[in-house]
Amino acid sequence: MNSNIISQENDLIAALATPLGSSALAVIRTSGPGCIEAVAALTDRPASLARCPGGRLRRAQLRDPETGRVLDDLMVGVFRAPRSYTGEDAVELFCHGSVPGVQEILALLFRSGFRRAEPGEFTLRAFLAGKVDLTRAEAVQEIVSARTARGHGLALGRLGGSVEAEVNRFKDELVQIMAGIALQLDYPEEETGQIPLDRQALRHIREGLLQLAASYSAGKLYQEGVVIALAGRTNAGKSSLFNALLKEDRAIVSDIPGTTRDYIESSLDFGGIPVRIFDTAGLRETGEILEGEGIRRTGQVLEAADLVLYLVDGVRGLAEEEEDRLDRAKASGSPPFIPVWNKADDRACLPPPEGFFPVSARTLQGMEPLLEEVVRRVTPEHRCQEESPVIDSLRQRDLLERAAAALQEVDRGIQEEMPVDAISLDVQEAIHALGEITGEVTSADILDAVFQQFCVGK
Ligand SMILES: Nc1nc2c(ncn2[C@@H]2O[C@H](COP(=O)(O)OP(=O)(O)OP(=O)(O)O)[C@@H](O)[C@H]2O)c(=O)[nH]1
Ligand SMILES: [Mg+2]
């Protein structure tokens, strides 16, 4: 558990920063005052390592001081406070990526005064040392868990301080307004003749806050992605389209109806959006038990999907029960679907009904407009421009909304000509919420909640 890690700062921590498995290299991270000497004492060159300037790499042998046994021949990266990730003295061990080797080195460190680092503890220390604000600290984990290049790029922007800068800009404006109010409160008898609260400016800030809050849906989209399912009657060409989208021969295609019995899942990158795509069993009334089970599972996949591509075999045309099914789905809006008219390459293909996208899973004709429609449908209203920051933290979104709600109260207060000191409380509430986003004001509970989501070694 992460609780109390704040009170434990300054002790020596260590953790594996790379996945445990066979690899060329593994990186073990350590941090804490005195950690350079502590690691140096476990090597064949304790004195020279202990004197090593920060930002240098040294080759050394790691030895168990009790037995003298060599555990690894490795590179030691030395960082001196405050010029390290955590702001403390820190050592990174670049050792061979052997599972038992890494475990032995960690065990040696834990016998030698180091404690196993909690998830996110290195970044927590960086935050407590004032090296990063909370939005940048959160971005570290968001980078690690990014699933597409676009998601990665957005998180990298946040690490660069895009969200911090935006939030601070709003906060500074509010602090200015607050200063004006304070002046008014200090000299109430002096009629300055000015309205101390610029309603227009406040509304502008509120809109900006809401816009940043709304970018969460885009941030979440690029980070968590969407589920797309292919559905339709047997032989409509779902598996063929699935393979065409994946550009690999993944699902079995045949002209025997009921080829796909269970759903098949794969991952794709659609314009930077991570997509989990499902090929499902064809829908039809069936007496066969196995196929019935497949259709039942198809139902589950369709319920969970963010978007369904509903395929119709354009040569066979729409079945009556199919028309009903689509009408019902359209009326209820659930699940959201795009109707697709497949086999457009076939001479016998009928003209597609209104609203259908004609494609051929075989020749790939019509695929581009279909894919554009898919991206359009899964992209939220908030079209994020390349430059504007996008948030990916529910915590940040809630606080932005809280600040915006407080500003709405301010606006109402002005409208109702409430006393300035009452109004100022809401301005303060908005400032406080923004301060919580960057971690300027924060509690141990909040930090626990944020850093618990991290990987160990980050
Ligand atoms: N001409 C033509 N034939 C296609 C196209 N797409 C699929 N087919 C053929 O249609 C038949 C069924 O294709 P599948 O992809 O297996 O269809 P499915 O919807 O997955 O079928 P089930 O798994 O049985 O539900 C196969 O013979 C495919 O070669 C297309 O775009 N054009
Ligand atoms: Mg199939």
Side-chain angles (χ1 to χ4, degrees):
M1 279 291 99
N2 236 19
S3 316
N4 303 325
I5 46 177
I6 297 160
S7 59
Q8 291 176 10
E9 84 189 281
N10 292 333
D11 56 355
L12 297 179
I13 53 171
L16 180 64
T18 44
L20 184 63
S22 297
S23 54
L25 290 178
V27 179
I28 293 173
R29 234 180 182 175
T30 70
S31 183
C35 96
I36 299 170
E37 292 76 11
V39 172
L42 303 173
T43 68
D44 59 339
R45 41 191 312 193
S48 101
L49 261 180
R51 283 197 312 271
C52 177
R56 296 284 169 83
L57 269 182
R58 291 277 187 275
R59 185 172 168 184
Q61 281 188 341
L62 203 68
R63 291 182 174 169
D64 185 337
E66 276 170 32
T67 60
R69 195 164 67 87
V70 175
L71 296 189
D72 203 358
D73 193 326
L74 41 69
M75 298 301 293
V76 182
V78 175
F79 304 89
R80 295 205 177 261
R83 298 180 65 184
S84 70
Y85 182 72
T86 53
E88 307 171 323
D89 278 359
V91 174
E92 287 179 7
L93 301 173
F94 302 92
C95 48
H96 291 99
S98 137
V99 174
V102 164
Q103 282 168 334
E104 273 197 303
I105 296 173
L106 283 171
L108 174 64
L109 291 171
F110 297 145
R111 283 200 304 278
S112 314
F114 287 85
R115 160 175 75 71
R116 191 184 296 277
E118 300 289 344
E121 195 168 2
F122 291 92
T123 309
L124 171 68
R125 289 189 177 195
F127 167 72
L128 293 174
K131 297 226 111 188
V132 290
D133 81 311
L134 212 45
T135 67
R136 294 190 200 222
E138 284 178 298
V140 170
Q141 181 57 24
E142 289 158 10
I143 289 175
V144 175
S145 51
R147 283 161 57 198
T148 65
R150 176 96 169 102
H152 179 255
L154 288 170
L156 216 51
R158 292 190 284 272
L159 182 68
S162 60
V163 171
E164 181 191 19
E166 186 96 334
V167 169
N168 280 339
R169 193 167 60 76
F170 292 131
K171 208 184 75 206
D172 290 346
E173 287 178 42
L174 289 176
V175 168
Q176 289 287 333
I177 289 171
M178 203 50 215
I181 296 177
L183 203 67
Q184 170 100 57
L185 289 174
D186 285 346
Y187 304 101
E189 65 284 356
E190 277 179 37
E191 197 52 68
T192 56
Q194 286 176 324
I195 305 160
L197 291 166
D198 181 345
R199 217 166 156 187
Q200 210 45 47
L202 281 163
R203 279 192 186 153
H204 194 70
I205 297 171
R206 184 167 165 268
E207 273 159 26
L209 292 174
L210 286 175
Q211 203 175 344
L212 189 56
S215 75
Y216 174 71
S217 51
K220 189 167 162 297
L221 176 75
Y222 287 113
Q223 201 70 344
E224 290 177 15
V226 290
V227 172
I228 295 179
L230 301 176
R233 286 203 296 168
T234 51
N235 263 350
K238 300 176 293 297
S239 299
S240 304
L241 186 65
F242 183 75
N243 289 342
L245 290 170
L246 294 179
K247 299 191 179 75
E248 62 177 286
D249 210 4
R250 176 72 201 285
I252 301 172
V253 167
S254 86
D255 55 4
I256 303 164
T259 302
T260 308
R261 293 297 179 97
D262 201 348
Y263 60 78
I264 310 172
E265 180 189 351
S266 196
S267 311
L268 268 176
D269 178 338
F270 262 33
I273 302 164
V275 173
R276 274 167 64 209
I277 187 157
F278 288 84
D279 176 24
T280 63
L283 302 165
R284 65 168 173 181
E285 293 301 325
T286 175
E288 208 195 318
I289 294 171
L290 257 188
E291 201 182 336
E293 174 59 18
I295 291 172
R296 194 184 67 78
R297 292 183 184 202
T298 296
Q300 288 176 338
V301 171
L302 297 191
E303 257 171 52
D306 297 296
L307 181 65
V308 173
L309 298 188
Y310 190 88
L311 265 73
V312 174
D313 177 341
V315 177
R316 270 173 77 192
L318 265 172
E320 214 168 287
E321 92 268 358
E322 209 164 24
E323 265 180 271
D324 292 346
R325 197 184 296 143
L326 290 179
D327 282 346
R328 277 200 306 274
K330 201 168 181 181
S332 72
S334 149
F337 72 96
I338 298 175
V340 181
W341 200 251
N342 190 32
K343 312 196 185 180
D345 61 289
D346 196 310
R347 280 218 185 137
C349 188
L350 303 161
E354 173 85 32
F356 274 76
F357 281 77
V359 302
S360 163
R362 184 168 287 173
T363 65
L364 305 186
Q365 72 190 75
M367 286 295 268
E368 213 159 287
L370 175 63
L371 293 187
E372 276 167 19
E373 176 68 5
V374 169
V375 172
R376 195 186 68 74
R377 288 283 289 273
V378 298
T379 308
E381 297 288 305
H382 176 89
R383 285 280 187 164
C384 49
Q385 291 118 12
E386 290 296 323
E387 337 68 75
S388 61
V390 171
I391 59 166
D392 179 42
S393 152
L394 198 57
R395 187 190 74 86
Q396 292 171 14
R397 189 198 66 182
D398 290 348
L399 288 165
L400 286 165
E401 285 179 349
R402 208 168 92 196
L407 292 188
Q408 181 149 38
E409 281 304 296
V410 173
D411 194 64
R412 197 174 61 89
I414 300 171
Q415 166 98 26
E416 294 174 7
E417 294 179 5
M418 300 221 315
V420 175
D421 55 350
I423 293 176
S424 78
L425 288 179
D426 286 319
V427 180
Q428 264 163 349
E429 156 76 8
I431 293 173
H432 188 90
L434 297 181
E436 244 183 72
I437 294 178
T438 56
E440 208 171 288
V441 279
T442 186
S443 72
D445 290 352
I446 295 170
L447 293 181
D448 270 0
V450 168
F451 288 97
Q452 242 157 23
Q453 297 166 17
F454 274 60
C455 340
V456 174
K458 231 343 168 175

